[in-house]
Structure formats: C-alpha cells, structure tokens
C-alpha cells in the first residue's frame, strides 16, 4: 500500500497526536484538523495543522480541498463525563452534530473511509464480563450516549452509502509516548493515573480523591482495563489498513483484557515513582460502573492486536517520564512541599 494522507480530526489531542506520530513513523501523511479547544499545538509535530471546527462545514470543506485526503480518523470530542451531565447540549452539538457535518463534508469530497473513536462507556453497566462487542449498549452518561448515537448513525449511513467505518471502543487509554514527547494533558484532568502522579509529586492540592470504596470488587474500588496509548495507535493503523484493503465496516473493543482496581493502580504508582500517593476516600463518582474489562478477541482476530506496553508498570512509567518533563520536575527533589 502506498503512502496515505489521513485527515486526523482532533489530532492535537491525547490519542490523536499518538496516531499522527504512528502514521508518520510508517510513511503516511497525517493532516491534523483541530480547533485547539482542548488539544495542544505543540502536540502537532508530524504534519500540517488545519485550525478548524468540525461543526463548520466550510472549514471542513477547505481542509478537504487543500489536501488530497484518503481517509479520516476522528478523535475530536468532548470526553469529560461530569461535564457532559452539566452541559449536554454542548456534548451533543460537538460529539454528534460535529460528526454529521464531518460525514457530509466527507461525502462531498468522496472520502469513504472513517476510523471513529468510540468508547466502552457506550456499554453502561455490563451484564457479562469481560465485555464483548455483543454486550447490550445502555450508556449511563451523556458522553456515552453521544458516542452511541454516532455509532448508530454510522451504521445507518454505511448501509445507504459507500461509507465504510471502524468504531473502536476504547477502554482506559493511558500512558504516554515511550519517547516522552507527547502524553496526556487534559485541563481539568479527571483521569486516575495523571491525578495519582500529581498527588505523588505533591502538585496541585497534593492529595488525590479516591472515588468509591464500596464496589463489589476484590478491594472495593473500581476495576478498569488500562490500555497503553501506543498499543491503541498500533490498533488504529491496523483498522485503517483493514478498511483501505476493502473490508466491511466493523466495531471492535480496544483494551488490554486485564483489569486493575484503583488501589492496585495507586500501589503501582508508588512503586514506579518511589513516593507515596496521598489520597482521601470519597463517595462513588456518579456514572462509574464497578468493573469494565474488555474481551479483546475481536481485536486479535480482525486487527492482529497484541498489547506491547499495556501493563501498569509500563503505562505509569511512560506517563511519569512525560509528566516529569511537562511539570518541570526533572532533577527536582520530590515530593514538592506546598510552600516550596
Ligand atoms: N478515579 C479516582 N480518582 C480520580 C480519578 C479517577 O478515584 O481522581 C477512579 C474513578 O472513579 C474510576 C477509575 O479511577 O473508578 C478510573 O477513572 P478514570 O476517570 O481514569 O477513567 P474512566 O474509567 O472514568 O474512563
């Protein structure tokens, strides 16, 4: 297959930037389309940046006109579950309305291949574990419902038109590029591993909130499936190739297949950083399922998916190296004292 030009929508964000790096590493050309509302210009390093808003058709049309796009990979979305409950219209406008506009622009530009970021949050509270793609989708958050709405829309559109798509349902994307150049930089940060690292380093409030200790799990805290962002990147390239080779649309979980409790992750953070993670126990966070764990057999079968870095030690080690750099901690005595 010759080199491909891929419009990476949301390519300045956490997962999108890792995909751009992986595309460029194998000789493809990522073109980032991003409004930089939550992404970072410094994360766009492997191709041009087109600044634009997916809800604005003219801005998408201009991007397709300026670049000879072979396929689209779509990452731009509002993702913070709590924000979705407070601002549902913004989530539906961006996560669903934006994809309608994107599909219209793709159709006008005769681009028929789409890799879409979906999520295990479309499953809601699972009935069977590990979760297969056949699990009923009954999302319990606005975020999950917007992602499910797009999956439904893609299915409808692909039946009537020549669109072919992959909907990749991520479990807990985590870690950073092993080179330390890009990683997770959300503001505000709601995810466990960066928050635990921040607490270990004595940054921010210096203490982490542990949400929920009375779940029906082995130690009372939630079990999650942490998949390294570089493993996710490999899976995206395989999904893209599968579609470009002419395969039918498909839906696929992307996880590591192994679950860890919040307490186990905190222990791994302490081992990796060599510092305690100060935390306080809080009530459950609304919308958190007790256990989310991927059955990865579809990914193995369709994408040849094998995890290479999805262990807590590698995920946290890579995240720690990245955060030490961006937080300016290299060479500093840790943890930072509040008055230092
Ligand atoms: N969590 C926590 N404190 C935090 C962030 C997360 O206790 O500061 C817990 C959260 O309740 C869940 C797990 O860690 O049980 C993973 O949460 P995260 O937000 O990282 O990912 P999610 O599973 O919600 O996508």
């Amino acid at each position: 297959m010759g080199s491909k030009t891929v419009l990476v929508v949301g390519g300045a964000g956490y997962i999108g930037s890792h995909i751009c790096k992986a595309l460029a590493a194998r000789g493809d050309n990522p073109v980032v389309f991003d409004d930089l509302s939550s992404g970072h210009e410094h994360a766009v390093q492997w191709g041009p940046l087109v600044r634009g808003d997916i809800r604005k058709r003219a801005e998408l049309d201009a991007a397709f006109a300026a670049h000879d796009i072979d396929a689209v990979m779509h990452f731009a979305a509002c993702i913070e579950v709590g924000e979705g409950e407070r601002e549902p219209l913004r989530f539906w406008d961006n996560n669903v309305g934006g994809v309608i506009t994107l599909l219209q622009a793709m159709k006008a530009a005769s681009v028929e291949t789409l890799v879409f970021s979906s999520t295990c949050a479309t499953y809601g509270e699972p009935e069977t574990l590990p979760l297969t793609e056949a699990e009923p989708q009954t999302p319990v958050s606005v975020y999950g419902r917007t992602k499910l709405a797009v999956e439904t829309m893609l299915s409808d559109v692909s039946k009537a038109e020549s669109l072919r798509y992959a909907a990749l349902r991520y479990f807990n994307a985590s870690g950073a590029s092993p080179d330390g150049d890009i990683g997770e930089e959300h503001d505000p940060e709601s995810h466990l591993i960066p928050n635990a690292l921040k607490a270990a380093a004595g940054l921010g409030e210096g203490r982490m909130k542990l949400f929920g200790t009375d779940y029906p799990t082995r130690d009372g805290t939630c079990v999650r499936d942490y998949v390294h962002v570089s493993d996710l990147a490999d899976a995206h390239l395989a999904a893209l190739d599968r579609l470009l080779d002419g395969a039918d649309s498909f839906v696929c979980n992307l996880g590591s297949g192994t679950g860890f409790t919040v307490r186990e992750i905190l222990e791994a953070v302490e081992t990796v950083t060599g510092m305690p993670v100060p935390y306080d126990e809080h009530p459950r966070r609304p919308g958190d399922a007790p256990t989310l764990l991927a059955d990865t057999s579809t990914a193995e079968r369709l994408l040849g998916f094998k995890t290479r870095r999805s262990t807590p030690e590698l995920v946290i080690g890579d995240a720690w190296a990245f955060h030490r750099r961006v937080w300016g901690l290299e060479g500093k005595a840790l943890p930072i004292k509040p008055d230092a």
Side-chain angles (χ1 to χ4, degrees), residues 1-4 26 28 237 240-246:
M1 210 181 287
S3 133
K4 299 291 178 197
R26 68 170 199 179
D28 288 336
L237 300 193
L240 176 68
D241 290 348
R242 192 177 157 81
L243 292 172
L244 291 173
D245 281 343

Side-chain angles (χ1 to χ4, degrees), residues 171-186:
F171 282 66
N172 287 59
S174 48
S177 171
D179 304 336
D181 52 351
I182 44 175
E184 192 167 10
E185 292 180 90
H186 297 124

Side-chain angles (χ1 to χ4, degrees), residues 81 120 171-172 189-193 195-196 208-212 215 221-224 226 262 285 288-289 292:
V81 172
C120 66
F171 282 66
N172 287 59
E189 185 53 78
S190 65
H191 293 107
L192 175 63
I193 291 173
N195 281 347
M208 211 202 75
K209 296 186 166 99
L210 192 168
F211 298 120
Y215 286 100
T221 64
C222 291
V223 171
R224 291 291 180 273
Y226 296 88
V262 174
R285 195 171 66 173
D288 278 343
L292 293 172

Side-chain angles (χ1 to χ4, degrees), residues 73-278:
M73 299 175 98
H74 176 64
F75 301 92
C78 303
I79 60 158
E80 212 273 291
V81 172
E83 272 177 23
E85 305 305 309
R86 292 190 297 276
E87 299 176 76
L89 264 181
R90 186 163 70 82
F91 272 54
W92 280 88
D93 184 29
N94 199 37
N95 295 6
V96 181
V99 180
I100 295 175
T101 313
L102 175 63
L103 291 176
Q104 289 165 338
M106 286 176 64
K107 183 175 176 183
S110 302
V111 177
E112 298 174 344
T113 306
L114 174 69
V115 177
F116 171 66
S117 287
S118 190
T119 167
C120 66
T122 59
Y123 293 121
E125 302 240 352
E127 287 169 13
T128 323
L129 290 164
L131 281 150
T132 69
E133 291 80 1
E135 176 75 17
Q137 287 176 291
T138 51
V140 293
S141 63
V142 171
Y143 168 64
R145 284 190 287 277
T146 62
K147 288 288 183 176
L148 177 58
V150 173
E151 284 199 14
T152 309
M153 176 165 67
L154 292 176
S155 167
D156 286 348
V157 174
S158 69
K159 282 179 195 137
E161 315 214 3
S162 42
L163 173 78
R164 279 175 309 111
Y165 71 94
L168 305 179
R169 295 179 186 154
Y170 313 150
F171 282 66
N172 287 59
S174 48
S177 171
D179 304 336
D181 52 351
I182 44 175
E184 192 167 10
E185 292 180 90
H186 297 124
D187 184 22
E189 185 53 78
S190 65
H191 293 107
L192 175 63
I193 291 173
N195 281 347
L197 290 172
K198 207 176 269 178
L203 295 176
E205 292 164 16
R207 301 186 72 77
M208 211 202 75
K209 296 186 166 99
L210 192 168
F211 298 120
T213 53
D214 59 349
Y215 286 100
T217 59
R218 52 186 172 265
D219 64 18
T221 64
C222 291
V223 171
R224 291 291 180 273
D225 177 329
Y226 296 88
V227 56
H228 196 292
V229 67
S230 62
D231 288 335
L232 283 183
D234 291 345
H236 281 73
L237 300 193
L240 176 68
D241 290 348
R242 192 177 157 81
L243 292 172
L244 291 173
D245 281 343
D248 289 338
S249 299
F250 63 97
V251 172
C252 179
N253 286 340
L254 291 180
S256 71
T258 311
F260 294 92
T261 67
V262 174
R263 291 194 202 279
E264 287 163 353
I265 292 296
L266 297 185
E267 274 166 33
V269 167
E270 295 189 344
T271 305
V272 168
T273 62
M275 291 178 291
V277 178

